[in-house]
Coordinates of all heavy atoms in Angstrom, one line a residue:
M83 N -13.6 -33.9 -30.0 CA -14.2 -34.5 -31.1 C -15.7 -34.3 -31.1 O -16.4 -34.4 -30.1 CB -13.9 -36.0 -31.0 CG -14.4 -36.8 -32.2 SD -13.6 -38.4 -32.1 CE -14.0 -39.0 -33.7
P84 N -16.3 -33.9 -32.3 CA -17.7 -33.5 -32.3 C -18.6 -34.8 -32.3 O -18.2 -35.8 -32.8 CB -17.8 -32.8 -33.7 CG -16.8 -33.4 -34.5 CD -15.6 -33.7 -33.6
L85 N -19.8 -34.6 -31.8 CA -20.8 -35.5 -31.9 C -21.6 -35.2 -33.1 O -22.2 -34.1 -33.2 CB -21.7 -35.5 -30.7 CG -23.0 -36.3 -30.7 CD1 -22.7 -37.8 -30.8 CD2 -23.9 -36.0 -29.5
E86 N -21.6 -36.1 -34.1 CA -22.3 -35.8 -35.4 C -23.8 -36.2 -35.3 O -24.0 -37.3 -35.0 CB -21.6 -36.4 -36.5 CG -20.2 -35.8 -36.7 CD -19.5 -36.3 -38.0 OE1 -20.1 -36.9 -38.9 OE2 -18.2 -36.1 -38.0
L87 N -24.6 -35.3 -35.7 CA -26.1 -35.6 -35.8 C -26.6 -35.1 -37.1 O -25.9 -34.5 -37.9 CB -26.8 -34.7 -34.6 CG -26.3 -34.9 -33.2 CD1 -26.8 -33.9 -32.3 CD2 -26.7 -36.3 -32.7
N88 N -27.9 -35.3 -37.3 CA -28.6 -34.7 -38.4 C -30.1 -34.6 -38.0 O -30.9 -35.3 -38.6 CB -28.4 -35.5 -39.7 CG -29.0 -34.8 -40.9 OD1 -29.2 -33.6 -40.9 ND2 -29.2 -35.6 -41.9
E89 N -30.4 -33.8 -37.0 CA -31.7 -33.8 -36.4 C -32.4 -32.4 -36.6 O -31.7 -31.4 -36.6 CB -31.6 -34.0 -34.9 CG -31.0 -35.4 -34.6 CD -31.1 -35.8 -33.2 OE1 -31.9 -35.2 -32.4 OE2 -30.5 -36.8 -32.8
P90 N -33.7 -32.5 -36.9 CA -34.4 -31.2 -37.1 C -34.5 -30.4 -35.8 O -34.6 -30.9 -34.7 CB -35.8 -31.7 -37.5 CG -35.9 -33.1 -37.0 CD -34.6 -33.6 -36.9
I91 N -34.4 -29.1 -36.1 CA -34.5 -28.1 -35.0 C -35.4 -26.9 -35.4 O -35.7 -26.8 -36.6 CB -33.2 -27.6 -34.5 CG1 -32.4 -27.0 -35.7 CG2 -32.4 -28.7 -33.8 CD1 -31.1 -26.3 -35.3
Q92 N -35.8 -26.1 -34.5 CA -36.5 -24.8 -34.7 C -35.5 -23.8 -34.3 O -34.8 -23.9 -33.3 CB -37.8 -24.7 -33.9 CG -38.8 -25.7 -34.3 CD -40.0 -25.6 -33.4 OE1 -39.9 -25.3 -32.2 NE2 -41.2 -25.9 -34.0
V93 N -35.4 -22.7 -35.1 CA -34.4 -21.6 -34.9 C -35.1 -20.3 -34.9 O -35.9 -20.0 -35.8 CB -33.3 -21.7 -35.9 CG1 -32.3 -20.6 -35.7 CG2 -32.6 -23.0 -35.9
L94 N -34.8 -19.5 -33.9 CA -35.2 -18.1 -33.8 C -34.1 -17.2 -34.5 O -32.9 -17.3 -34.0 CB -35.4 -17.6 -32.4 CG -35.7 -16.1 -32.2 CD1 -37.1 -15.7 -32.8 CD2 -35.7 -15.8 -30.7
V95 N -34.4 -16.5 -35.5 CA -33.4 -15.7 -36.3 C -33.7 -14.3 -36.4 O -34.9 -13.9 -36.6 CB -33.3 -16.3 -37.7 CG1 -32.3 -15.5 -38.6 CG2 -33.0 -17.8 -37.7
D96 N -32.7 -13.4 -36.2 CA -32.8 -12.0 -36.5 C -32.3 -11.7 -37.9 O -31.3 -12.4 -38.3 CB -32.0 -11.1 -35.5 CG -32.6 -10.9 -34.2 OD1 -33.9 -11.1 -34.1 OD2 -31.9 -10.5 -33.3
F97 N -32.9 -10.8 -38.6 CA -32.4 -10.4 -39.9 C -31.9 -9.0 -39.8 O -32.6 -8.1 -39.4 CB -33.4 -10.5 -41.0 CG -33.8 -12.0 -41.3 CD1 -34.8 -12.6 -40.6 CD2 -33.0 -12.7 -42.2 CE1 -35.2 -13.9 -40.9 CE2 -33.4 -14.0 -42.4 CZ -34.4 -14.6 -41.8
R98 N -30.6 -8.8 -40.2 CA -30.0 -7.5 -40.2 C -29.4 -7.1 -41.6 O -29.0 -8.0 -42.3 CB -28.8 -7.5 -39.2 CG -29.3 -7.8 -37.8 CD -28.5 -7.1 -36.8 NE -29.1 -7.3 -35.5 CZ -28.4 -7.4 -34.4 NH1 -27.1 -7.2 -34.4 NH2 -29.0 -7.5 -33.2
P99 N -29.3 -5.8 -41.9 CA -28.7 -5.5 -43.2 C -27.2 -6.0 -43.2 O -26.5 -6.0 -42.2 CB -28.7 -4.0 -43.2 CG -29.7 -3.6 -42.2 CD -29.8 -4.7 -41.1
S100 N -26.8 -6.6 -44.3 CA -25.5 -7.0 -44.4 C -24.5 -5.9 -44.6 O -24.9 -4.8 -45.0 CB -25.3 -8.0 -45.6 OG -25.6 -7.3 -46.8
E101 N -23.2 -6.1 -44.3 CA -22.2 -5.0 -44.5 C -21.6 -5.1 -45.8 O -21.6 -6.2 -46.5 CB -21.2 -5.2 -43.3 CG -21.9 -5.0 -42.0 CD -20.9 -5.1 -40.8 OE1 -19.7 -5.2 -41.1 OE2 -21.3 -5.1 -39.7
G102 N -20.9 -4.1 -46.2 CA -20.2 -4.1 -47.5 C -21.0 -3.6 -48.7 O -22.1 -3.0 -48.5
P103 N -20.6 -4.0 -49.9 CA -21.3 -3.4 -51.1 C -22.7 -4.0 -51.3 O -23.4 -3.3 -52.0 CB -20.3 -3.9 -52.2 CG -19.6 -5.0 -51.7 CD -19.5 -4.8 -50.2
E104 N -23.1 -5.1 -50.7 CA -24.4 -5.6 -50.9 C -25.3 -5.3 -49.7 O -26.0 -6.2 -49.2 CB -24.3 -7.1 -51.1 CG -23.6 -7.5 -52.4 CD -23.6 -9.0 -52.6 OE1 -24.5 -9.7 -52.1 OE2 -22.7 -9.4 -53.3
R105 N -25.4 -4.0 -49.3 CA -26.1 -3.6 -48.2 C -27.6 -3.9 -48.3 O -28.3 -3.9 -47.2 CB -25.8 -2.2 -47.8 CG -24.4 -1.9 -47.5 CD -24.2 -0.5 -47.1 NE -24.8 -0.2 -45.8 CZ -24.2 -0.3 -44.6 NH1 -23.0 -0.8 -44.6 NH2 -24.8 0.0 -43.5
S106 N -28.1 -4.1 -49.5 CA -29.6 -4.3 -49.6 C -29.9 -5.7 -49.2 O -31.1 -6.0 -48.9 CB -30.0 -4.1 -51.0 OG -29.4 -5.0 -51.9
R107 N -29.0 -6.6 -49.1 CA -29.2 -8.0 -48.6 C -29.4 -8.0 -47.1 O -28.9 -7.2 -46.4 CB -28.1 -8.9 -49.1 CG -28.0 -9.0 -50.6 CD -27.0 -10.0 -51.0 NE -27.3 -11.3 -50.6 CZ -26.5 -12.3 -50.6 NH1 -25.2 -12.2 -50.9 NH2 -26.9 -13.5 -50.2
R108 N -30.0 -9.1 -46.6 CA -30.2 -9.3 -45.2 C -29.3 -10.4 -44.7 O -29.2 -11.5 -45.4 CB -31.6 -9.6 -44.9 CG -32.5 -8.4 -45.1 CD -32.4 -7.4 -44.1 NE -33.5 -6.5 -44.1 CZ -33.5 -5.4 -43.3 NH1 -32.5 -5.1 -42.6 NH2 -34.5 -4.6 -43.4
A109 N -28.7 -10.3 -43.6 CA -27.9 -11.4 -43.0 C -28.8 -12.0 -41.9 O -29.4 -11.3 -41.0 CB -26.6 -10.8 -42.4
A110 N -28.8 -13.3 -41.8 CA -29.5 -14.1 -40.8 C -28.6 -14.3 -39.6 O -27.5 -14.7 -39.8 CB -30.0 -15.4 -41.3
I111 N -29.1 -13.9 -38.4 CA -28.3 -14.1 -37.2 C -29.2 -15.0 -36.2 O -30.2 -14.6 -35.7 CB -28.1 -12.8 -36.5 CG1 -27.6 -11.7 -37.4 CG2 -27.2 -13.0 -35.2 CD1 -26.2 -12.0 -37.9
P112 N -28.8 -16.3 -36.1 CA -29.5 -17.2 -35.2 C -29.4 -16.7 -33.7 O -28.2 -16.4 -33.3 CB -28.8 -18.5 -35.3 CG -28.0 -18.5 -36.6 CD -27.7 -17.0 -36.8
R113 N -30.5 -16.7 -33.0 CA -30.5 -16.2 -31.6 C -30.7 -17.3 -30.6 O -30.3 -17.3 -29.5 CB -31.5 -15.1 -31.4 CG -31.2 -13.9 -32.2 CD -29.9 -13.2 -31.8 NE -29.6 -12.0 -32.5 CZ -28.5 -11.4 -32.5 NH1 -27.5 -11.9 -31.8 NH2 -28.3 -10.3 -33.2
A114 N -31.5 -18.3 -31.0 CA -31.8 -19.4 -30.1 C -32.3 -20.6 -31.0 O -32.7 -20.4 -32.1 CB -32.9 -19.0 -29.1
F115 N -32.3 -21.8 -30.4 CA -32.9 -22.9 -31.2 C -33.5 -23.9 -30.2 O -33.1 -23.9 -29.0 CB -31.8 -23.6 -32.1 CG -30.7 -24.3 -31.4 CD1 -30.7 -25.6 -31.1 CD2 -29.5 -23.6 -31.1 CE1 -29.6 -26.3 -30.5 CE2 -28.5 -24.2 -30.5 CZ -28.5 -25.5 -30.2
I116 N -34.4 -24.7 -30.7 CA -35.1 -25.7 -29.9 C -34.8 -27.0 -30.4 O -34.9 -27.3 -31.6 CB -36.6 -25.5 -29.8 CG1 -37.0 -24.1 -29.2 CG2 -37.3 -26.6 -29.1 CD1 -38.4 -23.7 -29.3
W117 N -34.2 -27.9 -29.6 CA -33.9 -29.3 -29.9 C -34.4 -30.2 -28.8 O -34.1 -30.0 -27.7 CB -32.4 -29.4 -30.1 CG -31.8 -30.7 -30.4 CD1 -32.3 -31.6 -31.3 CD2 -30.8 -31.4 -29.7 NE1 -31.5 -32.8 -31.3 CE2 -30.6 -32.6 -30.3 CE3 -29.9 -31.0 -28.7 CZ2 -29.6 -33.5 -29.8 CZ3 -28.9 -31.9 -28.3 CH2 -28.8 -33.1 -28.8
K118 N -35.1 -31.2 -29.2 CA -35.7 -32.1 -28.2 C -36.4 -31.4 -27.1 O -36.2 -31.7 -25.9 CB -34.6 -33.0 -27.7 CG -34.0 -34.0 -28.8 CD -33.0 -35.0 -28.2 CE -32.6 -35.9 -29.2 NZ -31.7 -36.9 -28.7
N119 N -37.3 -30.5 -27.5 CA -38.1 -29.7 -26.5 C -37.3 -28.9 -25.5 O -37.9 -28.5 -24.5 CB -39.1 -30.6 -25.8 CG -40.0 -31.3 -26.7 OD1 -40.5 -30.6 -27.6 ND2 -40.3 -32.6 -26.5
R120 N -36.1 -28.6 -25.8 CA -35.3 -27.7 -24.9 C -34.8 -26.5 -25.7 O -34.3 -26.7 -26.8 CB -34.1 -28.5 -24.4 CG -33.3 -27.7 -23.4 CD -32.2 -28.5 -22.7 NE -31.4 -27.5 -21.9 CZ -30.1 -27.7 -21.7 NH1 -29.5 -28.8 -22.1 NH2 -29.4 -26.8 -21.0
R121 N -34.8 -25.4 -25.1 CA -34.4 -24.1 -25.8 C -33.0 -23.8 -25.4 O -32.6 -23.9 -24.2 CB -35.3 -23.0 -25.3 CG -35.0 -21.7 -26.0 CD -35.9 -20.6 -25.6 NE -35.5 -19.4 -26.3 CZ -36.2 -18.3 -26.3 NH1 -37.4 -18.3 -25.6 NH2 -35.8 -17.2 -26.9
Y122 N -32.2 -23.5 -26.4 CA -30.8 -23.2 -26.3 C -30.6 -21.7 -26.7 O -30.8 -21.4 -27.9 CB -29.9 -24.1 -27.1 CG -29.9 -25.5 -26.7 CD1 -31.0 -26.4 -27.1 CD2 -29.0 -26.1 -25.9 CE1 -31.0 -27.7 -26.7 CE2 -29.0 -27.4 -25.5 CZ -30.1 -28.2 -25.9 OH -30.1 -29.5 -25.5
L123 N -30.1 -20.9 -25.8 CA -29.8 -19.5 -26.2 C -28.4 -19.3 -26.7 O -27.5 -19.8 -26.1 CB -30.0 -18.6 -24.9 CG -31.4 -18.5 -24.3 CD1 -31.4 -17.6 -23.1 CD2 -32.4 -17.9 -25.4
I124 N -28.3 -18.7 -27.9 CA -27.0 -18.6 -28.5 C -26.3 -17.4 -28.0 O -26.9 -16.3 -28.0 CB -27.2 -18.5 -30.1 CG1 -27.8 -19.8 -30.6 CG2 -25.9 -18.1 -30.8 CD1 -28.3 -19.8 -32.0
Q125 N -25.1 -17.6 -27.5 CA -24.3 -16.5 -26.9 C -23.4 -15.8 -28.0 O -23.2 -14.6 -27.9 CB -23.4 -17.0 -25.8 CG -24.2 -17.7 -24.7 CD -25.1 -16.8 -23.9 OE1 -24.7 -15.6 -23.7 NE2 -26.3 -17.2 -23.6
S126 N -23.0 -16.6 -29.0 CA -22.1 -16.0 -30.0 C -22.2 -16.8 -31.3 O -22.5 -18.0 -31.3 CB -20.6 -16.0 -29.6 OG -20.2 -17.3 -29.4
L127 N -22.1 -16.0 -32.4 CA -22.0 -16.6 -33.7 C -20.6 -16.6 -34.1 O -19.9 -15.6 -34.2 CB -22.9 -15.7 -34.7 CG -22.8 -16.0 -36.1 CD1 -23.4 -17.4 -36.4 CD2 -23.6 -14.9 -36.9
N128 N -20.0 -17.8 -34.4 CA -18.6 -18.0 -34.6 C -18.2 -17.9 -36.0 O -17.2 -17.4 -36.4 CB -18.1 -19.3 -33.9 CG -18.6 -19.4 -32.5 OD1 -18.5 -18.4 -31.7 ND2 -19.0 -20.6 -32.1
L129 N -19.0 -18.6 -36.9 CA -18.6 -18.7 -38.3 C -19.8 -19.0 -39.1 O -20.8 -19.7 -38.6 CB -17.6 -19.9 -38.4 CG -17.1 -20.2 -39.8 CD1 -16.2 -19.1 -40.3 CD2 -16.4 -21.6 -39.8
V130 N -19.9 -18.4 -40.3 CA -21.0 -18.7 -41.2 C -20.3 -19.0 -42.6 O -19.4 -18.3 -43.0 CB -21.9 -17.4 -41.4 CG1 -23.0 -17.7 -42.4 CG2 -22.4 -17.0 -40.1
H131 N -20.8 -20.0 -43.2 CA -20.4 -20.3 -44.6 C -21.5 -21.0 -45.3 O -22.5 -21.5 -44.7 CB -19.1 -21.1 -44.7 CG -19.2 -22.6 -44.3 ND1 -19.3 -23.0 -43.0 CD2 -19.4 -23.7 -45.1 CE1 -19.4 -24.3 -43.0 NE2 -19.4 -24.7 -44.2
Q132 N -21.4 -21.1 -46.7 CA -22.4 -21.7 -47.4 C -21.8 -22.6 -48.5 O -20.7 -22.5 -48.8 CB -23.3 -20.7 -48.1 CG -22.6 -19.8 -49.1 CD -23.5 -18.7 -49.6 OE1 -24.2 -18.1 -48.8 NE2 -23.4 -18.4 -50.9
E133 N -22.6 -23.6 -48.9 CA -22.2 -24.5 -50.0 C -23.4 -24.8 -50.9 O -24.5 -24.8 -50.5 CB -21.5 -25.8 -49.5 CG -22.5 -26.8 -48.9 CD -21.8 -28.0 -48.4 OE1 -20.6 -28.1 -48.2 OE2 -22.5 -29.0 -48.3
K134 N -23.1 -25.1 -52.2 CA -24.1 -25.4 -53.1 C -24.2 -27.0 -53.2 O -23.2 -27.6 -53.1 CB -23.8 -24.9 -54.5 CG -23.8 -23.4 -54.6 CD -25.2 -22.8 -54.6 CE -25.9 -22.9 -55.9 NZ -27.2 -22.3 -55.9
Q135 N -25.5 -27.5 -53.2 CA -25.7 -28.9 -53.5 C -26.8 -28.9 -54.6 O -28.0 -28.9 -54.3 CB -26.2 -29.6 -52.2 CG -25.1 -29.9 -51.3 CD -25.6 -30.9 -50.1 OE1 -26.8 -31.1 -50.0 NE2 -24.7 -31.3 -49.3
G136 N -26.4 -29.0 -55.8 CA -27.3 -28.9 -56.9 C -28.0 -27.6 -57.0 O -27.3 -26.5 -57.0
E137 N -29.3 -27.5 -57.0 CA -30.0 -26.3 -57.0 C -30.1 -25.6 -55.6 O -30.4 -24.4 -55.5 CB -31.5 -26.5 -57.4 CG -31.5 -27.0 -58.9 CD -31.2 -25.9 -59.9 OE1 -31.6 -24.8 -59.7 OE2 -30.4 -26.2 -60.8
A138 N -29.8 -26.4 -54.5 CA -29.9 -25.9 -53.2 C -28.7 -25.2 -52.7 O -27.6 -25.5 -53.1 CB -30.2 -27.0 -52.2
T139 N -28.9 -24.3 -51.8 CA -27.8 -23.6 -51.0 C -27.9 -24.0 -49.6 O -29.0 -23.8 -49.0 CB -27.7 -22.1 -51.2 OG1 -27.7 -21.8 -52.6 CG2 -26.5 -21.5 -50.5
L140 N -26.9 -24.5 -49.0 CA -26.9 -24.8 -47.5 C -26.1 -23.8 -46.8 O -25.0 -23.5 -47.2 CB -26.3 -26.2 -47.3 CG -27.0 -27.4 -48.0 CD1 -26.3 -28.7 -47.7 CD2 -28.4 -27.5 -47.6
Y141 N -26.7 -23.2 -45.8 CA -26.1 -22.2 -45.0 C -25.7 -22.8 -43.6 O -26.6 -23.2 -42.9 CB -27.0 -21.0 -44.8 CG -27.3 -20.3 -46.1 CD1 -28.4 -20.7 -46.8 CD2 -26.5 -19.2 -46.6 CE1 -28.7 -20.1 -48.0 CE2 -26.8 -18.6 -47.8 CZ -27.9 -19.0 -48.5 OH -28.2 -18.4 -49.7
Y142 N -24.4 -22.8 -43.3 CA -23.9 -23.4 -42.1 C -23.6 -22.2 -41.1 O -23.0 -21.2 -41.4 CB -22.7 -24.2 -42.3 CG -22.9 -25.4 -43.1 CD1 -22.9 -25.5 -44.5 CD2 -23.3 -26.6 -42.4 CE1 -23.1 -26.6 -45.2 CE2 -23.5 -27.8 -43.1 CZ -23.4 -27.8 -44.5 OH -23.7 -28.9 -45.2
F143 N -24.0 -22.5 -39.8 CA -23.7 -21.5 -38.7 C -23.1 -22.3 -37.6 O -23.6 -23.2 -37.1 CB -25.1 -20.9 -38.2 CG -25.8 -20.1 -39.3 CD1 -26.7 -20.8 -40.2 CD2 -25.7 -18.8 -39.4 CE1 -27.4 -20.1 -41.1 CE2 -26.4 -18.1 -40.3 CZ -27.2 -18.7 -41.2
S144 N -21.9 -21.8 -37.2 CA -21.3 -22.3 -36.0 C -21.6 -21.4 -34.9 O -21.3 -20.2 -34.9 CB -19.7 -22.4 -36.1 OG -19.1 -22.7 -34.9
V145 N -22.3 -21.9 -33.8 CA -22.8 -21.0 -32.7 C -22.4 -21.6 -31.4 O -22.2 -22.8 -31.3 CB -24.3 -20.8 -32.8 CG1 -24.7 -20.2 -34.1 CG2 -25.1 -22.2 -32.6
S146 N -22.3 -20.7 -30.4 CA -22.0 -21.2 -29.0 C -23.0 -20.8 -28.0 O -23.6 -19.7 -28.1 CB -20.6 -20.7 -28.6 OG -19.6 -21.2 -29.4
T147 N -23.3 -21.7 -27.1 CA -24.1 -21.3 -25.9 C -23.1 -21.1 -24.8 O -21.9 -21.1 -25.0 CB -25.1 -22.5 -25.6 OG1 -24.3 -23.6 -25.2 CG2 -26.0 -22.8 -26.7
D148 N -23.6 -21.1 -23.6 CA -22.6 -20.9 -22.5 C -21.9 -22.2 -22.2 O -20.9 -22.2 -21.4 CB -23.3 -20.3 -21.2 CG -24.5 -21.2 -20.8 OD1 -24.9 -22.1 -21.5 OD2 -25.1 -20.8 -19.8
T149 N -22.3 -23.3 -22.7 CA -21.6 -24.6 -22.4 C -21.0 -25.3 -23.6 O -20.0 -26.0 -23.5 CB -22.5 -25.6 -21.7 OG1 -23.7 -25.8 -22.5 CG2 -22.9 -25.0 -20.4
N150 N -21.6 -25.2 -24.8 CA -21.2 -26.0 -26.0 C -21.2 -25.2 -27.3 O -21.7 -24.1 -27.3 CB -22.1 -27.2 -26.2 CG -22.1 -28.2 -25.1 OD1 -21.1 -28.5 -24.6 ND2 -23.3 -28.6 -24.7
T151 N -20.6 -25.7 -28.3 CA -20.6 -25.2 -29.6 C -21.4 -26.1 -30.5 O -21.2 -27.3 -30.4 CB -19.2 -25.0 -30.2 OG1 -18.5 -24.1 -29.3 CG2 -19.2 -24.4 -31.6
Y152 N -22.2 -25.5 -31.4 CA -23.1 -26.3 -32.3 C -22.9 -25.9 -33.7 O -22.6 -24.7 -34.0 CB -24.5 -26.1 -31.9 CG -24.8 -26.4 -30.5 CD1 -24.6 -25.5 -29.5 CD2 -25.3 -27.7 -30.1 CE1 -24.9 -25.8 -28.1 CE2 -25.6 -28.0 -28.8 CZ -25.4 -27.0 -27.8 OH -25.7 -27.4 -26.5
K153 N -23.1 -26.8 -34.6 CA -23.2 -26.5 -36.1 C -24.6 -26.7 -36.5 O -25.1 -27.8 -36.4 CB -22.2 -27.3 -36.9 CG -22.2 -26.8 -38.4 CD -21.5 -27.8 -39.3 CE -20.0 -27.8 -39.1 NZ -19.4 -28.7 -40.2
L154 N -25.2 -25.6 -37.0 CA -26.6 -25.6 -37.5 C -26.5 -25.4 -39.0 O -25.6 -24.8 -39.5 CB -27.4 -24.5 -36.9 CG -27.3 -24.2 -35.4 CD1 -28.1 -23.0 -35.0 CD2 -27.6 -25.4 -34.6
V155 N -27.5 -26.0 -39.7 CA -27.5 -25.8 -41.2 C -29.0 -25.4 -41.6 O -29.9 -26.0 -41.0 CB -27.0 -27.0 -42.0 CG1 -27.8 -28.2 -41.7 CG2 -26.9 -26.7 -43.4
F156 N -29.1 -24.5 -42.5 CA -30.4 -24.1 -43.1 C -30.4 -24.5 -44.6 O -29.5 -24.1 -45.3 CB -30.6 -22.6 -42.9 CG -31.9 -22.1 -43.6 CD1 -33.1 -22.4 -43.0 CD2 -31.8 -21.4 -44.8 CE1 -34.3 -22.0 -43.6 CE2 -33.0 -21.0 -45.4 CZ -34.2 -21.3 -44.8
H157 N -31.4 -25.2 -45.0 CA -31.6 -25.6 -46.4 C -32.5 -24.7 -47.1 O -33.7 -24.6 -46.7 CB -32.1 -27.0 -46.5 CG -32.1 -27.7 -47.8 ND1 -33.0 -27.3 -48.8 CD2 -31.3 -28.7 -48.3 CE1 -32.7 -28.1 -49.9 NE2 -31.7 -28.9 -49.6
N158 N -32.1 -23.9 -48.1 CA -32.9 -22.8 -48.7 C -34.1 -23.3 -49.5 O -35.1 -22.6 -49.6 CB -32.1 -21.9 -49.5 CG -31.7 -22.4 -50.9 OD1 -31.4 -23.6 -51.0 ND2 -31.8 -21.6 -51.9
L159 N -34.1 -24.6 -50.0 CA -35.2 -25.0 -50.8 C -36.3 -25.7 -49.9 O -37.5 -25.5 -50.1 CB -34.8 -26.0 -51.8 CG -33.9 -25.5 -52.9 CD1 -33.5 -26.5 -53.9 CD2 -34.5 -24.3 -53.6
T160 N -35.9 -26.4 -48.9 CA -36.9 -27.0 -48.0 C -37.3 -26.1 -46.8 O -38.2 -26.4 -46.1 CB -36.4 -28.4 -47.4 OG1 -35.2 -28.1 -46.6 CG2 -36.0 -29.3 -48.5
L161 N -36.5 -25.0 -46.6 CA -36.7 -24.1 -45.5 C -36.5 -24.8 -44.1 O -37.2 -24.5 -43.1 CB -38.0 -23.4 -45.6 CG -38.2 -22.6 -46.9 CD1 -39.6 -21.9 -46.8 CD2 -37.1 -21.6 -47.1
E162 N -35.7 -25.8 -44.1 CA -35.5 -26.7 -42.9 C -34.2 -26.4 -42.2 O -33.2 -26.2 -42.9 CB -35.6 -28.2 -43.3 CG -35.4 -29.1 -42.1 CD -35.5 -30.6 -42.6 OE1 -34.8 -31.0 -43.5 OE2 -36.4 -31.3 -42.0
W163 N -34.2 -26.3 -40.9 CA -33.0 -26.2 -40.1 C -32.7 -27.5 -39.5 O -33.6 -28.3 -39.1 CB -33.3 -25.2 -38.9 CG -33.3 -23.8 -39.3 CD1 -34.4 -23.0 -39.7 CD2 -32.2 -22.9 -39.3 NE1 -34.0 -21.7 -39.9 CE2 -32.6 -21.6 -39.7 CE3 -30.8 -23.1 -39.0 CZ2 -31.8 -20.5 -39.8 CZ3 -30.0 -22.0 -39.1 CH2 -30.5 -20.7 -39.5
R164 N -31.4 -27.8 -39.4 CA -31.0 -29.1 -38.7 C -29.8 -28.8 -37.9 O -28.9 -28.0 -38.2 CB -30.6 -30.1 -39.8 CG -31.9 -30.5 -40.6 CD -31.7 -31.7 -41.5 NE -31.8 -33.0 -40.9 CZ -32.9 -33.5 -40.6 NH1 -34.1 -32.9 -40.8 NH2 -33.0 -34.7 -40.0
L165 N -29.7 -29.6 -36.8 CA -28.5 -29.6 -35.9 C -27.6 -30.7 -36.4 O -28.0 -31.9 -36.5 CB -28.9 -29.9 -34.5 CG -27.8 -30.1 -33.5 CD1 -26.8 -28.9 -33.4 CD2 -28.3 -30.4 -32.1
V166 N -26.3 -30.4 -36.9 CA -25.5 -31.4 -37.5 C -24.3 -31.8 -36.6 O -23.7 -32.9 -36.8 CB -25.0 -31.0 -38.9 CG1 -26.2 -30.9 -39.8 CG2 -24.3 -29.6 -38.9
E167 N -23.9 -30.9 -35.7 CA -22.7 -31.3 -34.8 C -22.8 -30.5 -33.5 O -23.4 -29.4 -33.4 CB -21.4 -30.8 -35.4 CG -20.9 -31.6 -36.5 CD -19.5 -31.2 -37.0 OE1 -19.0 -30.2 -36.5 OE2 -19.1 -31.8 -38.0
I168 N -22.3 -31.2 -32.4 CA -22.2 -30.6 -31.1 C -20.7 -30.8 -30.7 O -20.2 -31.9 -30.7 CB -23.1 -31.3 -30.1 CG1 -24.5 -31.2 -30.5 CG2 -22.8 -30.7 -28.7 CD1 -25.5 -32.0 -29.6
W169 N -20.1 -29.7 -30.2 CA -18.8 -29.8 -29.7 C -18.9 -29.5 -28.2 O -19.3 -28.4 -27.8 CB -17.8 -28.7 -30.3 CG -17.5 -29.0 -31.7 CD1 -18.2 -28.8 -32.8 CD2 -16.3 -29.6 -32.2 NE1 -17.6 -29.2 -33.9 CE2 -16.4 -29.7 -33.6 CE3 -15.1 -30.1 -31.5 CZ2 -15.4 -30.3 -34.3 CZ3 -14.1 -30.6 -32.3 CH2 -14.2 -30.7 -33.7
S170 N -18.6 -30.5 -27.3 CA -18.7 -30.3 -25.9 C -17.4 -29.9 -25.3 O -16.3 -30.4 -25.8 CB -19.2 -31.6 -25.2 OG -20.5 -31.9 -25.6
E171 N -17.4 -29.1 -24.2 CA -16.2 -28.8 -23.6 C -15.9 -29.7 -22.4 O -16.7 -30.3 -21.9 CB -16.3 -27.3 -23.1 CG -16.4 -26.4 -24.3 CD -16.3 -25.0 -23.9 OE1 -15.8 -24.6 -22.8 OE2 -16.6 -24.1 -24.7

């Protein structure tokens, strides 16, 4: 069962060309994040999806470290990253 949060974080992101017909677009790949003054290195990117909320688009990233899985969200209008869930093993 996930621990639900909604806390601000800082995220280190790589931008790579997307695959498929929209190759001119860039895909964001989270590499690490800082939460409560601790750095978490992301080992894998599990799932990415987006949803519209009015004028805003929220981009969700399910990522794993060596111990847990996290759900991060990026808000395109405020340019804010938040940690919304933690799945512990």
Side-chain angles (χ1 to χ4, degrees):
M83 184 165 191
L85 172 62
E86 294 187 15
L87 304 167
N88 188 21
E89 298 192 11
I91 57 173
Q92 295 175 326
V93 180
L94 174 65
V95 177
D96 277 345
F97 290 94
R98 299 210 174 150
S100 62
E101 297 179 7
E104 297 183 22
R105 295 184 72 88
S106 63
R107 295 183 66 195
R108 294 282 197 192
I111 312 292
R113 297 297 182 192
F115 65 95
I116 298 172
W117 175 51
K118 294 187 175 182
N119 296 320
R120 182 170 173 213
R121 184 176 178 173
Y122 296 82
L123 294 177
I124 295 171
Q125 303 296 319
S126 63
L127 176 61
N128 307 320
L129 179 68
V130 179
H131 73 278
Q132 65 188 41
E133 73 176 19
K134 294 290 279 182
Q135 281 189 354
E137 295 291 316
T139 303
L140 302 178
Y141 296 90
Y142 291 90
F143 299 84
S144 172
V145 298
S146 295
T147 63
D148 54 355
T149 56
N150 295 318
T151 299
Y152 302 86
K153 185 191 289 185
L154 316 178
V155 64
F156 177 74
H157 190 289
N158 77 319
L159 295 181
T160 64
L161 304 179
E162 182 178 54
W163 284 91
R164 298 189 81 76
L165 172 59
V166 293
E167 284 183 0
I168 300 173
W169 290 79
S170 296
E171 297 189 16

